[in-house]
Amino acid sequence: MIKTICVLALMGVVASCTLVNNQYTSQLQELDSQLDSQPQMVWDSLKNMNPEEFSESQKAYYYLLSVSATDKNLVYLENDSTLRVALEYFQDHKDYYNLARSQYYLGKYTFKKQKHKKAYELFKEAEGNLNICKSDNSHLYGLIYYQLARIQTKQGNFEEALALSQQAFDIFTQINDTISAVYALKIKGTTYIDLNKYSKAKENLLKSLEILSGFKEQSPKYYEAKRTILFALTLFYRKTNNLELALEYNNKCLSTFQTQNQPISSEYYYNTIKLFYAQQKIDSVKYYCTQMIESAQIRNTTINLI
């Protein structure tokens, strides 16, 4: 009788643990489905979870979602240790879809560390794994092509970069992802600058700004995209020796920070300094140098401080 009671009690504990584990999995899947529409909510929810209570598979999933939420909230990944844990798990268990997602985010992290060759390999592996699992996630394909275009531009493979950015633009346009489509056009524009094809560069950059002007939801992603395009136009007009227009677009770029009540990043001050220096307006150079130093100190951006 006692033995029977012990067995029943043990079965109850196992059932309870299984139920809790299933609840965790369901919660993670629900958060995954809301990543694009409510990234801040997902990020906050994940912070309130304790991964130490999870199974191995749930931990891997949690780590992947944490990185995804960080990225979608426009925060750079500072450490790749948990992401590598997720990647190794998905690799060992042949979960090709989540492996591709992990490789994509690790590729972005690696690219930011200036390891372009390794980043390229990770993005190509991600594309290959999406093909293996026959994924219908067009958006992820588009993101991969966009990142590959950035790398090809950095490596001087401009024609390949143009083809990849066009692929990304076509995908984003088809799925009505306006912000991502704008980024793809921006890459085309800056690539044409590198090719000294200035009319094409101007056409693509102004088109991207025009598309963005019709975007109603002025979210942090919107302002980030707008800054990126205005910054690219500043570089374009500086490269074509139209310093007056370069300064105009530079000021528009800086004003987006004020619209959001955010401090201006030091890298944006650097471009301002170069414009005033080219005009030999030394007082303005000194002023913005001071602003850049203060911004770099606050954000601990050593290279910009130097």
Side-chain angles (χ1 to χ4, degrees):
M1 184 65 177
I2 294 175
K3 184 177 180 181
T4 302
I5 292 172
C6 290
V7 169
L8 290 172
L10 181 60
M11 288 175 65
V13 170
V14 170
S16 177
C17 289
T18 301
L19 181 61
V20 170
N21 273 325
N22 287 339
Q23 286 176 341
Y24 284 143
T25 300
S26 297
Q27 287 174 5
L28 292 172
Q29 288 173 340
E30 178 63 24
L31 290 173
D32 195 358
S33 69
Q34 296 176 322
L35 261 173
D36 289 325
S37 59
Q38 300 185 70
Q40 184 64 55
M41 182 279 291
V42 172
W43 201 20
D44 292 339
S45 298
L46 289 169
K47 287 176 184 177
N48 291 325
M49 290 183 169
N50 181 10
E52 296 306 314
E53 299 175 356
F54 296 166
S55 66
E56 188 181 6
S57 63
Q58 290 165 341
K59 273 186 182 180
Y61 196 16
Y62 172 85
Y63 292 147
L64 171 58
L65 294 186
S66 295
V67 172
S68 301
T70 300
D71 183 78
K72 290 183 185 299
N73 281 283
L74 306 179
V75 177
Y76 289 116
L77 184 65
E78 295 182 358
N79 188 295
D80 66 337
S81 57
T82 56
L83 177 57
R84 289 186 181 276
V85 169
L87 189 148
E88 288 175 10
Y89 176 86
F90 296 133
Q91 200 163 34
D92 291 343
H93 291 78
K94 294 182 170 50
D95 183 345
Y96 294 111
Y97 177 64
N98 284 322
L99 176 58
R101 294 171 74 187
S102 302
Q103 288 167 329
Y104 167 75
Y105 288 114
L106 187 58
K108 285 192 70 175
Y109 175 84
T110 306
F111 181 82
K112 190 171 184 294
K113 295 293 183 182
Q114 304 297 316
K115 298 177 182 178
H116 298 151
K117 183 180 178 182
K118 181 59 181 175
Y120 179 86
E121 291 171 357
L122 283 163
F123 290 130
K124 290 299 290 184
E125 287 171 6
E127 181 190 17
N129 284 315
L130 284 181
N131 291 337
I132 290 173
C133 67
K134 298 180 180 178
S135 171
D136 60 354
N137 189 339
S138 299
H139 188 248
L140 185 52
Y141 273 111
L143 292 174
I144 290 170
Y145 296 145
Y146 168 76
Q147 296 295 341
L148 287 171
R150 293 178 71 202
I151 293 173
Q152 295 291 39
T153 300
K154 288 281 187 183
Q155 295 181 331
N157 302 321
F158 300 127
E159 295 300 331
E160 182 67 17
L162 287 173
L164 286 163
S165 57
Q166 184 63 49
Q167 274 185 282
F169 177 75
D170 291 342
I171 289 173
F172 295 139
T173 302
Q174 186 177 8
I175 62 176
N176 296 316
D177 184 347
T178 306
I179 296 291
S180 296
V182 160
Y183 274 106
L185 274 183
K186 191 272 297 184
I187 283 290
K188 282 188 71 178
T190 54
T191 303
Y192 277 125
I193 293 175
D194 291 324
L195 285 167
N196 297 323
K197 295 182 178 180
Y198 297 124
S199 61
K200 286 282 189 183
K202 184 178 179 181
E203 176 188 336
N204 280 276
L205 291 175
L206 290 178
K207 183 180 178 182
S208 64
L209 194 59
E210 180 186 349
I211 292 172
L212 197 63
S213 66
F215 200 70
K216 294 180 181 179
E217 184 190 351
Q218 297 186 355
S219 62
K221 283 182 67 176
Y222 164 85
Y223 285 109
E224 182 73 16
K226 188 174 183 179
R227 264 195 297 275
T228 300
I229 298 165
L230 292 170
F231 186 75
L233 281 163
T234 303
L235 295 177
F236 167 77
Y237 284 114
R238 181 159 62 85
K239 185 78 180 283
T240 54
N241 295 314
N242 191 334
L243 296 181
E244 186 177 341
L245 271 178
L247 195 57
E248 180 183 327
Y249 278 101
N250 181 75
N251 290 337
K252 288 179 180 179
C253 180
L254 297 184
S255 71
T256 62
F257 286 98
Q258 296 170 341
T259 303
Q260 290 183 279
N261 294 318
Q262 286 189 353
I264 298 172
S265 303
S266 54
E267 57 266 27
Y268 288 93
Y269 281 126
Y270 181 60
N271 197 46
T272 308
I273 291 165
K274 292 180 78 171
L275 286 171
F276 281 119
Y277 188 80
Q279 295 174 315
Q280 286 298 292
K281 295 182 178 179
I282 304 305
D283 287 340
S284 295
V285 171
K286 289 179 180 178
Y287 172 78
Y288 283 106
C289 277
T290 302
Q291 297 299 309
M292 181 173 177
I293 289 169
E294 290 177 0
S295 176
Q297 287 174 327
I298 292 170
R299 292 170 176 259
N300 197 27
T301 313
T302 306
I303 188 64
N304 289 347
L305 182 60
I306 290 169

